[in-house]
Amino acid sequence: MAEAEAVQLKEEGNQHFQDQDYKAAEKSYSQALKLTKDKTLLATLYRNRAACGLKMESYVQAASDASRAIDINSSDIKALYRRCQALEHLGKLDQAFKDVQRCATLEPRNQNFQETLRRLNISIQEKLRVQFSTDSRVQKMFEILLDENSEAEKLEKAANNLIVLGREEAGAERIFQNNGVALLLQLLDTKRPELVLAAVRTLSGMCTGHRARATAILHAVRIDRICSLMAVENEEMSLAVCNLLQSIIDSLSGEDKREHRGKEEALVLDTKKDLKLITSHLLDMLASKKVSGLGRDQALNLLNKNVPRKDLAIHDNSRTIYVVDNGLRKILKVVGQVPDLPSCLPLTDNTRMLASVLINKLYDDLRCDPERDHFRKICEEYITGTFDPQDMDKNVSAIQTVSGILQGPLDLGNQLLGLKGVMEMMVALCGSEREQDQLVAVEALIHASTKLTRASFIITNGVSLLKEIYKTTKNEKIKIRTLVGLCKLGSAGGTDYGLRQFAEGSTEKLAKQCRKWLCNASIDTQTRRWAVEGLAYLTLDADVKDDFVQDIPALQAMFELAKASTSDKTILYSVATTLVNCTNSYDVKEVIPELVQLAKFSKQHVPEEHPKDKKDFIDMRVKRLLKAGIISALTCMVKADSAILTNQTKELLARVFLALCDNPKDRGTIVAQGGGKALIPLALEGTDVGKVKAAHALAKIAAVSNPDIAFPGERVYEVVRPLVRLLDTERDGLQNYEALLSLTNLSARSDKLRQKIIKERALPDIENYMFENHDQLRQAATECMCNMVANKEVQERFLADGNDRLKLVVLLCGEDDDKVQNAAAGALAMLTAAHKKLCFKMTQVTSQWLEILQRLCLHDRLSVQHRGLVIAYNLLSADAELAKKLVESELLEILTIVGKMEPDEKKEAVIQTARECLIKFMDYGFIKPVS
């Protein structure tokens, strides 16, 4: 019974194979293999399953199955040839050559075997030639590099060649096989910076995309040695070693998913242990005094990039939990560093900010309240453990830590501000005689003033102190930070005109001082950064923002600072926030009149709008910003490194772009200065809100601009996806409408763009909007479909049975809206011209088709009338029976009247088409010409 069933399954598998259902065939053969012990049948089944493997490109499986068939029958010529094909695909050319050689011996007259022999022979010779030439090149390079007497020029050339070779798969493999890692370690031992750098970059190339090599290199070089190289006070070296570690991490974690054709992936044991070892050493670097500021920054960058989950849908956050348990205190130590204290670790300007970002990312990556409570307890224990009544340095460090956390996870920072004595210590440090204490305290107060409740506490307890420091200190750094503290407290009421914290005119004075500092090029960048941050708070006040946009030198100074500081995320964020305030592109809650009346009745506070926040003033500010060169500044900011340009900053930039694009007259200027290109990355990456805002700005530009100019080259294809996302029903009507307009413009450019729109699955949405009750949405969707029907794939959808697509287009031709009629008639004209079947289908989808066609041919609007006449001509050309139906209707009279109209340049196309229809009638013999 089992043998009979195995034979039946084999026959089923053969049938599936003939039907090209290779997966089902493989399944049948596999089931049959479990049921039989007959050697002949086993050989056939393995051989057949090998054929399935070849078809499905499972070459390892195919080679294995063919080998099993050959084990049963060594002269199985089909199995030999199939194994040869599989081995060739796997890059094992010498083994494949032996198999086909055996096939050719068994069947010498088979031309297919002879051709394969010739081809493999050529491939093997070429491979050997490349291999030997690469081997000799590698050997020669190492000889030059390790020879102390080599000339500088030769040395540099050999180092560069080695780096290039390490980046190529074949070259990397040859270096690895020829004892290259040991030789590269010798280069590291030379301690000569240029040679060490070349060795590191070569190792980085060799690790990229190859897990086995990356593991071997990590163990050969050792993680402690890699970290010690990254810890040096040399930016180029530190960055190169950081790239090496990133390549190793990507390969070990599977982030670098490059396919290497012709290579079987080497079997590597679980990499989690190695990844944990790397993380542990990076955390140790954070708290070590031996590590340079640059090295510490790179360690923080690696932790920022690789520890938190990239997608919160992934359940496993074990890397974050490990870092919280084993490294959070070390990160807090970095955050709490005070530069001028003797115990301070080596830092750069960005170190503390990078540590704050890491704390923020780790906190966001936690999945539940117990994990967040554990995180908070570690922070509380660290801060309270640092406080010491006898040691002011420790108290300053504790406040600096709180200040750093406030720049990360704000809700955690606000919880820590509630710890006993923290706010009081901040205010007390403001009164300290040491400038360093004042500096830390003022910065902490600035970050603590985010919530209105906290700001109220500081206004009550600390404003007089801040004012006193501002008046008395001669230290510019403290003075400007104090000013920003006052700015932030002054803007605590937000855009609410009725919640001003200071007396009338005070905020304008503060802003004037910030603008003065901003324009002073002799002041260092960090100090000017604080001036921008002050303006980011103060520009919530409409008087301040109106004065600021009129101060062209101050605006341009801020733009230049933004362009020059694309490595400083705080400047980018502050500039973006200031511009959002100036363009009023922040979210405003809708004011419901009934609730306002209720609030007044119950004597509750009612938010007030400043007179200068009305639309006329906003439009004027936008004009001034464009004139001052805002677009070039925004495009520079968008190009900043992803670690610096945070998702929040991207969202702010998208908001500004959308506000700038509001007036159609300004869009040409934005395109000319590169704004269209700059919007694409903002629409593809960032927060959900930011991507929608950027996509909406793109839609505004794409709807009225020439796409070839706005998005030159291949960029235009990247625009399609964000625009299609705007068609989502969750988006508002204006976004849907402008997305449809932009897709209409793009779909008119080329069939390749139409194909891209189809690929992004926009057609169902466009069709849905053609049913929409809203006139403008229906019109825009119909116009878009009019362009899309030029594509063959779209035409196939109309040809398919069981849908009402054509019926909808015919009925839209009968709408009262001229624009909808025009678009629908255009689509119908193209469809009926492309396929005769659609001419017949048109007459069957609705009984009103003839009445609608006659209305089109009599339309007052010439473009609609012309399209109607083209449809009539297409129907006449399709079939004599259709033509007979038309000649028996009133259409003949309509065509005769139109055809006999007096010549007119505007109506020339209409008259000519009507006459061509009448000639068709004559060709069929339905009418005769009048002599």
Side-chain angles (χ1 to χ4, degrees):
M1 283 290 287
E3 293 294 334
E5 195 178 340
V7 171
Q8 189 182 343
L9 282 164
K10 185 198 85 168
E11 294 303 325
E12 280 178 21
N14 292 350
Q15 188 57 50
H16 287 312
F17 193 89
Q18 284 173 16
D19 296 339
Q20 297 184 358
D21 189 352
Y22 304 118
K23 203 161 191 175
E26 184 192 40
K27 191 178 177 182
S28 296
Y29 295 140
S30 298
Q31 287 172 341
L33 282 164
K34 293 173 186 174
L35 299 172
T36 184
K37 291 181 181 176
D38 182 278
K39 287 198 171 180
T40 308
L41 183 56
L42 280 170
T44 304
L45 289 168
Y46 279 125
R47 186 173 69 214
N48 290 359
R49 198 167 74 171
C52 293
L54 285 171
K55 291 291 185 184
M56 294 190 295
E57 298 184 9
S58 301
Y59 301 121
V60 175
Q61 184 64 44
S64 173
D65 283 339
S67 295
R68 288 185 180 187
I70 294 161
D71 289 343
I72 296 167
N73 178 7
S74 60
S75 299
D76 189 334
I77 200 160
K78 285 186 179 179
L80 280 163
Y81 188 61
R82 282 169 194 169
R83 187 168 72 176
C84 159
Q85 289 174 294
L87 291 168
E88 184 181 356
H89 281 290
L90 291 169
K92 298 179 178 179
L93 302 182
D94 48 345
Q95 293 175 42
F97 186 81
K98 285 176 186 174
D99 280 347
V100 78
Q101 203 170 35
R102 178 118 174 84
C103 290
T105 307
L106 293 168
E107 281 189 23
R109 292 184 180 178
N110 189 314
Q111 288 300 312
N112 200 13
F113 296 160
Q114 296 297 336
E115 179 57 38
T116 307
L117 258 178
R118 275 196 296 276
R119 190 181 71 249
L120 284 174
N121 187 36
I122 292 166
S123 299
I124 288 167
Q125 295 305 320
E126 179 61 23
K127 189 178 178 182
L128 287 169
R129 186 186 66 76
V130 171
Q131 186 175 315
F132 287 127
S133 64
T134 305
D135 288 352
S136 60
R137 278 165 62 206
V138 169
Q139 202 59 45
K140 199 169 182 181
M141 282 177 216
F142 276 116
E143 283 173 11
I144 294 168
L145 291 167
L146 294 168
D147 184 358
E148 290 181 8
N149 301 317
S150 293
E151 296 172 18
E153 194 178 333
K154 271 190 176 182
L155 208 63
E156 188 182 346
K157 193 175 179 181
N160 289 335
N161 286 343
L162 195 64
I163 294 164
V164 171
L165 206 59
R167 288 173 184 162
E168 297 168 3
E169 173 54 27
E173 192 59 30
R174 296 320 307 158
I175 296 171
F176 190 77
Q177 296 293 347
N178 287 336
N179 197 33
V181 177
L183 293 167
L184 287 165
L185 286 172
Q186 285 183 44
L187 284 182
L188 293 177
D189 290 334
T190 61
K191 301 286 194 305
R192 292 170 65 182
E194 69 278 12
L195 296 186
V196 174
L197 203 56
V200 167
R201 286 173 174 163
T202 306
L203 288 167
S204 182
M206 290 169 69
C207 291
T208 303
H210 200 294
R211 187 178 291 189
R213 272 205 305 268
T215 307
I217 287 168
L218 177 65
H219 289 281
V221 184
R222 299 193 327 276
I223 183 63
D224 55 331
R225 187 173 188 180
I226 295 172
C227 288
S228 67
L229 282 169
M230 194 164 76
V232 300
E233 189 65 61
N234 179 322
E235 189 172 4
E236 198 175 13
M237 179 69 72
S238 191
L239 187 60
V241 179
C242 176
N243 288 335
L244 167 60
L245 264 178
Q246 187 60 60
S247 297
I248 292 171
I249 293 167
D250 285 345
S251 296
L252 295 185
S253 61
E255 289 293 326
D256 191 332
K257 294 184 173 65
R258 295 190 192 180
E259 277 189 38
H260 297 285
R261 259 193 103 146
K263 291 281 173 194
E264 289 180 75
E265 193 175 337
L267 189 68
V268 179
L269 296 172
D270 188 12
T271 57
K272 285 183 182 176
K273 193 176 177 183
D274 286 331
L275 287 167
K276 193 175 276 188
L277 186 70
I278 293 169
T279 306
S280 175
H281 274 79
L282 290 174
L283 291 169
D284 289 341
M285 284 181 74
L286 300 184
S288 170
K289 272 215 159 190
K290 294 176 183 176
V291 177
S292 69
L294 292 166
R296 211 176 313 279
D297 282 3
Q298 298 304 347
L300 285 164
N301 279 329
L302 285 166
L303 290 166
N304 264 316
K305 189 171 181 183
N306 299 294
V307 173
R309 291 169 292 170
K310 290 178 176 63
D311 182 0
L312 294 179
I314 299 165
H315 190 69
D316 180 23
N317 70 339
S318 55
R319 282 186 289 190
T320 294
I321 299 298
Y322 175 79
V323 170
V324 170
D325 289 340
N326 297 281
L328 182 55
R329 288 173 183 81
K330 293 169 185 174
I331 302 165
L332 290 170
K333 185 177 179 179
V334 176
V335 166
Q337 293 302 299
V338 182
D340 292 340
L341 293 183
S343 59
C344 184
L345 298 169
L347 306 172
T348 69
D349 291 339
N350 290 324
T351 308
R352 286 187 63 248
M353 180 53 72
L354 287 169
S356 295
V357 170
L358 179 56
I359 290 172
N360 190 41
K361 285 189 173 184
L362 293 172
Y363 191 73
D364 285 347
D365 199 43
L366 300 174
R367 294 176 312 180
C368 56
D369 287 341
E371 288 180 1
R372 282 184 276 273
D373 287 342
H374 176 59
F375 192 101
R376 178 177 51 77
K377 280 175 186 171
I378 293 173
C379 294
E380 285 180 0
E381 285 168 12
Y382 182 85
I383 290 161
T384 51
T386 309
F387 276 130
D388 185 349
Q390 307 302 318
D391 191 338
M392 189 55 78
D393 285 359
K394 285 188 175 179
N395 294 335
V396 173
S397 184
I399 296 302
Q400 185 82 316
T401 306
V402 175
S403 180
I405 294 170
L406 280 162
Q407 292 174 74
L410 194 62
D411 56 334
L412 174 64
N414 279 314
Q415 285 177 330
L416 296 174
L417 285 173
L419 287 174
K420 189 181 177 183
V422 170
M423 293 294 287
E424 290 77 4
M425 180 57 75
M426 283 186 192
V427 174
L429 286 174
C430 284
S432 168
E433 291 180 6
R434 288 201 312 180
E435 286 189 342
Q436 191 54 54
D437 297 352
Q438 290 180 4
L439 194 65
V440 170
V442 170
E443 275 195 34
L445 283 171
I446 290 167
H447 298 309
S449 310
T450 304
K451 277 199 170 182
L452 185 57
T453 50
R454 302 279 179 213
S456 302
F457 173 89
I458 299 162
I459 287 165
T460 308
N461 298 284
V463 162
S464 55
L465 271 171
L466 285 173
K467 286 181 178 176
E468 189 60 33
I469 293 170
Y470 182 70
K471 286 175 187 172
T472 57
T473 186
K474 290 179 182 177
N475 186 323
E476 287 286 315
K477 289 181 179 180
I478 296 174
K479 200 177 187 74
I480 197 160
R481 282 163 177 76
T482 311
L483 177 71
V484 173
L486 290 166
C487 292
K488 193 166 184 179
L489 294 169
S491 65
T495 56
D496 187 349
Y497 187 45
L499 270 184
R500 287 190 162 197
Q501 301 294 325
F502 294 159
E504 189 81 33
S506 297
T507 46
E508 286 93 320
K509 285 178 185 174
L510 291 171
K512 194 174 180 182
Q513 185 59 51
C514 284
R515 300 205 311 266
K516 188 178 171 185
W517 262 314
L518 185 59
C519 293
N520 189 346
S522 62
I523 297 174
D524 67 279
T525 305
Q526 285 301 310
T527 307
R528 291 169 76 205
R529 185 196 87 184
W530 282 99
V532 180
E533 191 158 334
L535 286 167
Y537 298 121
L538 292 176
T539 46
L540 286 165
D541 185 303
D543 286 319
V544 171
K545 60 181 122 178
D546 218 53
D547 291 344
F548 182 45
V549 293
Q550 291 181 53
D551 188 346
I552 300 298
L555 267 183
Q556 289 177 338
M558 183 176 77
F559 294 157
E560 290 305 316
L561 192 63
K563 290 177 190 177
S565 306
T566 49
S567 60
D568 187 333
K569 65 179 64 155
T570 49
I571 288 185
L572 296 186
Y573 187 80
S574 300
V575 171
T577 306
T578 305
L579 294 174
V580 164
N581 293 341
C582 290
T583 54
N584 284 49
S585 48
Y586 40 72
D587 289 326
V588 180
K589 284 185 180 177
E590 187 182 350
V591 177
I592 301 165
E594 290 81 1
L595 288 179
V596 171
Q597 291 301 320
L598 190 64
K600 284 180 179 176
F601 179 74
S602 58
K603 295 184 180 177
Q604 295 293 314
H605 174 73
V606 179
E608 296 175 40
E609 186 186 39
H610 195 290
K612 288 184 180 177
D613 276 330
K614 301 246 183 311
K615 190 161 187 335
D616 292 349
F617 283 94
I618 297 168
D619 292 344
M620 191 60 71
R621 288 199 287 271
V622 166
K623 292 273 183 211
R624 285 182 176 140
L625 286 166
L626 285 167
K627 198 173 178 182
I630 186 174
I631 300 298
S632 61
L634 291 174
T635 50
C636 278
M637 289 166 77
V638 170
K639 290 173 187 172
D641 185 75
S642 59
I644 303 301
L645 190 68
T646 62
N647 286 343
Q648 287 74 19
T649 308
K650 286 178 188 175
E651 182 185 318
L652 295 175
L653 295 177
R655 287 175 180 275
V656 176
F657 265 119
L658 183 56
L660 297 173
C661 293
D662 191 52
N663 189 337
K665 291 178 183 176
D666 295 331
R667 292 174 200 170
T669 308
I670 293 165
V671 168
Q673 294 176 14
K677 290 177 281 187
L679 270 166
I680 296 171
L682 295 178
L684 295 173
E685 294 175 2
T687 64
D688 290 338
V689 173
K691 287 190 283 190
V692 170
K693 299 278 184 193
H696 193 184
L698 272 177
K700 285 178 180 289
I701 288 172
V704 297
S705 306
N706 181 340
D708 298 335
I709 295 170
F711 317 107
E714 295 297 306
R715 285 193 186 93
V716 72
Y717 300 104
E718 295 176 50
V719 176
V720 175
R721 181 172 295 173
L723 295 180
V724 172
R725 284 182 188 152
L726 281 186
L727 297 180
D728 194 307
T729 49
E730 288 184 10
R731 307 277 79 83
D732 65 46
L734 181 62
Q735 290 169 342
N736 298 152
Y737 176 67
E738 292 191 317
L740 286 166
L741 290 184
S742 56
L743 289 171
T744 303
N745 194 13
L746 292 178
S747 58
R749 302 306 297 175
S750 69
D751 199 56
K752 198 173 174 186
L753 268 170
R754 288 191 281 273
Q755 201 61 46
K756 176 68 175 170
I757 292 168
I758 295 165
K759 192 178 177 184
E760 294 297 338
R761 299 175 185 172
L763 279 180
D765 290 323
I766 296 167
E767 287 170 351
N768 287 341
Y769 286 115
M770 287 169 74
F771 285 99
E772 183 65 50
N773 287 328
H774 194 287
D775 290 344
Q776 285 178 297
L777 280 174
R778 189 166 70 251
Q779 172 209 320
T782 311
E783 285 175 351
C784 189
M785 186 56 76
C786 179
N787 287 342
M788 290 301 294
V789 294
N791 180 271
K792 285 182 181 178
E793 197 174 322
V794 179
Q795 291 168 13
E796 292 297 327
R797 286 170 177 249
F798 279 89
L799 281 165
D801 295 325
N803 68 74
D804 290 331
R805 289 187 179 93
L806 190 66
K807 182 179 180 179
L808 175 62
V809 174
V810 174
L811 291 174
L812 287 173
C813 289
E815 286 277 315
D816 293 331
D817 188 322
D818 285 4
K819 289 179 179 177
V820 172
Q821 272 187 306
N822 194 46
L828 196 55
M830 281 193 275
L831 287 167
T832 50
H835 297 278
K836 285 184 181 180
K837 185 182 173 182
L838 290 174
C839 296
F840 293 107
K841 196 173 178 181
M842 175 186 161
T843 64
Q844 296 159 5
V845 289
T846 174
S847 58
Q848 301 168 35
W849 70 272
L850 188 55
E851 183 191 333
I852 290 168
L853 181 59
Q854 289 168 355
R855 281 181 61 193
L856 290 177
C857 293
L858 284 170
H859 208 282
D860 294 337
R861 188 170 169 180
L862 289 175
S863 61
V864 178
Q865 186 181 21
H866 181 238
R867 292 173 184 203
L869 291 165
V870 170
I871 296 165
Y873 179 80
N874 294 339
L875 295 180
L876 289 170
S877 305
D879 182 67
E881 283 300 313
L882 266 179
K884 193 175 180 184
K885 277 186 187 177
L886 294 174
V887 81
E888 290 168 356
S889 71
E890 292 175 7
L891 190 68
L892 176 60
E893 191 179 338
I894 294 167
L895 292 171
T896 308
I897 291 165
V898 176
K900 287 182 176 179
M901 287 168 72
E902 289 296 319
D904 183 341
E905 195 177 327
K906 288 181 182 177
K907 297 179 180 178
E908 187 181 345
V910 170
I911 296 166
Q912 184 59 36
T913 310
R915 287 175 181 174
E916 285 172 7
C917 289
L918 291 168
I919 291 166
K920 269 285 171 196
F921 279 138
M922 285 190 280
D923 291 345
Y924 285 126
F926 295 145
I927 61 170
K928 291 180 181 178
V930 179
S931 58

